[in-house]
Amino acid sequence: MFYLLRPLRLLMKSLVTQTTPRQLAAGVAFGVLIGLIPKGNLIAITLGVILAASRSNLAIAAGVIVAVSGLSGFFDPQFHAVGHFLLSLPLLQSAWTWLYNQPLMPWTGFQNTVVLGSLVIGLALVWPTYRGSRPLFEKYGGHVAAWASRFRLVRFLFGAEWADRFTGSPAA
Amino acid sequence: MRWSYVIPRMVIILVVWGFFAFGFDPLLRSSAVSTAQSVTGAKADVAGLTTGFFPPQLEISQVDLASRRHPGTNLVSFERLTLKLGGEALLHRNFVIEEASLTGVRFGTSRADNGQLELVEEEDPGPTIPPWLQDRLRQHGDEWLDDITARTKEKLDPNTLETYRVGNELYTKWDKEFDETNLAIESAKLQYEQIRRNIEAAKDRRPFDQVEIWLQAVRDADSLAKRSQVLLAEFRTRIPKELQSDFGRLNQAQQNDREMIRHSVQLLKPDARRISESLLGDEMYLQLQQLLSWIELARDYQQELKQPESVRHRGIDFEFPLTHPTPRVLCRKMQISGELSQQGGIVPFSAVLTNVTSDPQLLGKPAELHVTTSGKTPVRVVVRHDATEDIPVTRLAFEFTDQSAKTLTAGRPHSHQLTAGLKGMHWSGGLTMTEGQLNGHVQIRSEFQQPQLEIRHRLVAGLGDIVEHSLGEIEQVTARLRIAGKATAPTIDLESDLGDQISDSFSNAYAKFVPVVQEQLATEVNFYVEKQKKKFVDQYGGRFKGLLADQEKLLASINEAKMIAVKLRTGQLDPNRVFRLASDTGVLKGKDQEKAEKYLNQGQRVLDGIRNPQDALMDSLPGLKNKLFRR
């Protein structure tokens, strides 16, 4: 039983616990970036792979992606304006053309105004988001862990002593 | 390395791998089913779908697309579709099918279920034959044979001859003439009888009244006699003259009829075009319809490919120039094989489809479909859709030889009917469609066999054998159907030497038939005219003589009365004559007659005395004489 549950316990640990405020903030930053970009293109997939490869907190990233994706549609006009401006820039035409002729590049969807616009804006938001969310996690990280430990599943997987250690109370 | 890092990433990799290994193909299959169902409007069954990435390929097995219009039947089904995609093009987001294979294609196979997505009321599928073709099929009925027999009958029917018309007219005229004459005689007789009755009635009157009545009677008789004389004179002189004139009219009508018969028969040549349309129209128009449906199918298919891809609502895509431009979708070559229904049987076919693309102008090559069927009647069809220019042009060409025998029929059984057989029909044709404009032709060449013509009408029956013999000399027929104009209402022109040959056969037959018919009709006319004349003489000759005798007798009686009247008017009345007339006419009875004789004798004696008073006195007064002159 122990061996069966161990992988699940480790997965849950990586998702919820044993994360630093930096990893949580990175997760939020990645979540905002991926969430803003329309899905179904190679850019979104690539960013997803990078997110998975990074040591960011995947759980918080997934949550932010879902939340931001729902809101990103409201900002399409702004994304479109930025993307259209960039794709229309004469200075960049040769670069775009060269890029467009490279293998796989058409699959990225960079030639789409909303994709490019949301990518640029998303990239611009990565650092501010990271910097803005990090102090919050540093301040409220403990509360998050305490909140998580209240769930029966978490307590079951991690064991009571793990939960007590995070909450600071001795095991019963 | 910490497990807390590795395990989540491993899980993600496993999930992604698992999706592509086990979820991608079913998802794609489900998507394919949905797409097919939305296109056909009926159930689509896809047994299996397998994708391969290195090299990129797609394989779909056992697909059955149900027919919405025919429940329980598949529109099309195939066993396997293999698509090999070009990797290089795919990297540039272009779907180039380098090679494809579609095997086991069948049309109209039956299904275990009804194949309908939901129970919906069957929509009217609309006419399978376009309205212009239906009109065309209606127009070229086989009434030409009825027409020709009817016209022949009409032209050669003795009842329509002028001779008959004139004869009947004369009968009517002379009936009326004699009736009027008869009426005049009867009227005169009545007047004569009235005069007699007046004389008879006068016997009971006083002598002076009697004389007055008689005077009135003879005045009437005089008037009547004059009118009767005029009538008799007219009857004697006018009638024979007019009768002679009418016989002349009858002879002229006879001559006119002969001339008309000669001309009419020459005008009876049937319309070659109508014959061609009647005999070959159905086959050729339906073949044309088949061609049009193929060409429409090709164009619709191309149109489907040209539909914009799923519209991306978010933003717009910039199209940057490509170093090696390639159409977004392109099928360079697809081998197709299967079975199709042909002439009630199933025959194998193979086809090659090339250069089907979403951007023909970019490709610069037209799409082509070459279809060849095996079996008893091998068919070759080539469809070429050239959309490389702004105005797409679709061309279709086909060729096949139908070895089965066909029977051509015109007319109706048990009436007038022409039947013949066609064997070894070689069909060929070509059709070009440009922006709703059609231009092309369908052509057949065939052997012509066993013509039979059955004509029921008595006068024309002899014509059938002669035409049949003449048709027997036709060995081969060709026909060409030209089509041009708008696809919705094209102009169609059917030309065939069959119509000309049949028309010529009728003409030749007429050339042989006419003298016979002419002779027959001339004899009939002559016979009729003689019969008419004899009947006329028999019928009216007797009446004429009778009427003439009546008139003469009446006139004689009236003249007698007239003579009395003349004498009365001049004072030369001979009483004896009057009494004699009265006696002759039966006016006086026997007793009265005796009295009349007595008074007549006494009167005579008085008159004699007036003429010789001495003798009369002596005779009348013997007693007095003896007394006065005693000797």
Side-chain angles (χ1 to χ4, degrees), chain A residues 52-54 76 101 104 107 112, chain B residues 5 9 90-91 314 317 323:
Chain A
S54 71
D76 274 359
N101 278 280
L104 288 175
W107 288 103
N112 181 267
Chain B
Y5 173 80
R9 276 74 193 169
L90 202 58
L91 289 175
R314 304 183 67 180
D317 284 350
T323 315

Side-chain angles (χ1 to χ4, degrees), chain A residues 10-11 14 18 38 52-56 58 72 76 80 84 87-88 93 96-97 100-101 103-104 106-107 111-115, chain B residues 2-5 7-9 11-12 88-95 312-324 328:
Chain A
L10 291 173
L11 176 63
S14 65
Q18 289 191 337
S54 71
R55 299 196 63 174
S56 309
L58 296 181
S72 67
D76 274 359
H80 169 74
H84 194 274
L87 289 167
S88 307
Q93 286 308 299
W96 296 133
T97 303
Y100 193 69
N101 278 280
L104 288 175
W107 288 103
Q111 70 276 16
N112 181 267
T113 52
V114 172
V115 173
Chain B
R2 295 180 62 172
W3 284 111
S4 60
Y5 173 80
I7 289 175
R9 276 74 193 169
V11 169
I12 290 170
E88 178 70 21
L90 202 58
L91 289 175
H92 290 91
R93 214 182 173 193
N94 296 323
F95 300 91
R312 190 190 186 100
H313 297 289
R314 304 183 67 180
I316 56 170
D317 284 350
F318 272 63
E319 293 292 336
F320 298 103
L322 289 162
T323 315
H324 303 290
R328 187 68 67 197

